Amino acid sequence: MPTPLTFAVPKGQILDEALPLMARAGVIPEAEFHDKKSRALSFACEGSDMRLIRVRAFDVATFVAHGAAQVGIVGSDVVEEFAYPDLYAPVDLDIGHCRLSVAEREGETGGALPSHLRIASKYPNLTRRHFEKLGVQAEVVKLNGAMELAPSLGLSSRIVDLVSTGRTLKENGLVETSRILDISARLIVNRAALKTDERVGALVEAFRALVAQKVPAEASA
């Protein structure tokens, strides 16, 4: 009996959008997966030797990169932040769209950038790389949430965070000043597993075919 293939998925909005696509690819979690009262993190899949693990988005990349999971779904922001050499992102799933942006307090925008900035973000690597290109040394204060509070409380002058509608920024007196990265969800695989386990390659081809079947909005208009 083959070892179960482990498929890592993130909690939250990306998972909600990914589940119908996963089902069409034959990745159908057992009923307990949908039970909001369940505290389980690992689940069987219907009619297959696959198991799903549901973890934080940043941990999806870590599990797959280190081979603890062979396949996963995660935002391209996470792929770019970690840049694990053992991680391969072969399919853009065209879901989970948002952007990684710089924001600061309304009324404080404009003017030349100083040589040093303190910025709150959970993306230290992407933040530093972005500001290095602008000739600015970024001191990153790592926060995992409530980023929008940092400028008003004097913790940082700017934040780098995910933006979808921009409503949360506006409600906290912040304005988006530049865009670092456009983001969408990706199917990710462990490079070694892709070479050694034909099930991984089959999943890549299944998801690739499903995405190719999507009709572009402009074509259907």
Side-chain angles (χ1 to χ4, degrees), residues 10-21 73-78 92-100 123 162-164 181-186 214:
K11 301 172 182 178
Q13 185 178 345
I14 284 181
L15 178 58
D16 294 340
E17 291 187 55
L19 280 171
L21 198 62
I73 290 175
V74 79
S76 53
D77 54 317
V78 178
D92 184 341
L93 299 175
D94 196 25
I95 58 174
H97 293 282
C98 59
R99 58 194 181 273
L100 185 68
Y123 299 92
L162 299 182
V163 178
S164 181
L181 183 68
D182 287 314
I183 296 162
S184 60
R186 307 296 168 95
K214 283 190 173 184

Side-chain angles (χ1 to χ4, degrees), residues 194-212:
L194 180 61
K195 293 176 182 176
T196 59
D197 192 328
E198 62 184 19
R199 296 173 297 176
V200 176
L203 274 173
V204 170
E205 292 309 314
F207 277 96
R208 187 174 278 147
L210 287 169
V211 173

Side-chain angles (χ1 to χ4, degrees), residues 18-206:
L19 280 171
L21 198 62
M22 290 164 57
R24 290 171 64 198
V27 185
I28 304 171
E30 62 179 314
E32 188 185 357
F33 183 85
H34 303 286
D35 181 357
K36 297 188 184 303
K37 294 180 181 177
S38 174
R39 301 181 73 86
L41 299 174
S42 179
F43 306 88
C45 285
E46 294 181 9
S48 77
D49 58 355
M50 205 179 313
R51 66 180 172 190
L52 280 182
I53 59 169
R54 183 167 53 197
V55 296
R56 294 179 183 273
F58 276 36
D59 294 336
V60 170
T62 303
F63 274 98
V64 175
H66 291 282
Q70 292 74 49
V71 188
I73 290 175
V74 79
S76 53
D77 54 317
V78 178
V79 176
E80 295 288 339
E81 172 65 20
F82 286 103
Y84 285 122
D86 295 321
L87 200 66
Y88 177 44
V91 186
D92 184 341
L93 299 175
D94 196 25
I95 58 174
H97 293 282
C98 59
R99 58 194 181 273
L100 185 68
S101 294
V102 182
E104 58 186 289
R105 294 179 74 179
E106 198 168 6
E108 295 183 3
T109 60
L113 285 171
S115 60
H116 178 276
L117 283 171
R118 182 186 290 170
I119 299 161
S121 182
K122 65 177 178 179
Y123 299 92
N125 296 322
L126 283 169
T127 299
R128 290 191 191 100
R129 289 203 294 266
H130 171 73
F131 281 97
E132 277 174 9
K133 292 175 185 175
L134 301 174
V136 176
Q137 181 185 353
E139 176 192 346
V140 182
V141 179
K142 194 168 188 302
L143 292 178
N144 292 313
M147 217 75 60
E148 296 82 7
L149 290 173
S152 64
L153 296 177
L155 184 60
S156 68
S157 61
R158 289 164 176 79
I159 68 169
V160 167
D161 201 10
L162 299 182
V163 178
S164 181
T165 64
R167 180 180 173 184
T168 305
L169 292 178
K170 187 175 182 181
E171 289 179 351
N172 287 278
L174 301 175
V175 292
E176 187 178 357
T177 55
S178 61
R179 183 180 301 197
I180 296 176
L181 183 68
D182 287 314
I183 296 162
S184 60
R186 307 296 168 95
L187 182 77
I188 60 172
V189 299
N190 177 274
R191 288 185 185 274
L194 180 61
K195 293 176 182 176
T196 59
D197 192 328
E198 62 184 19
R199 296 173 297 176
V200 176
L203 274 173
V204 170
E205 292 309 314

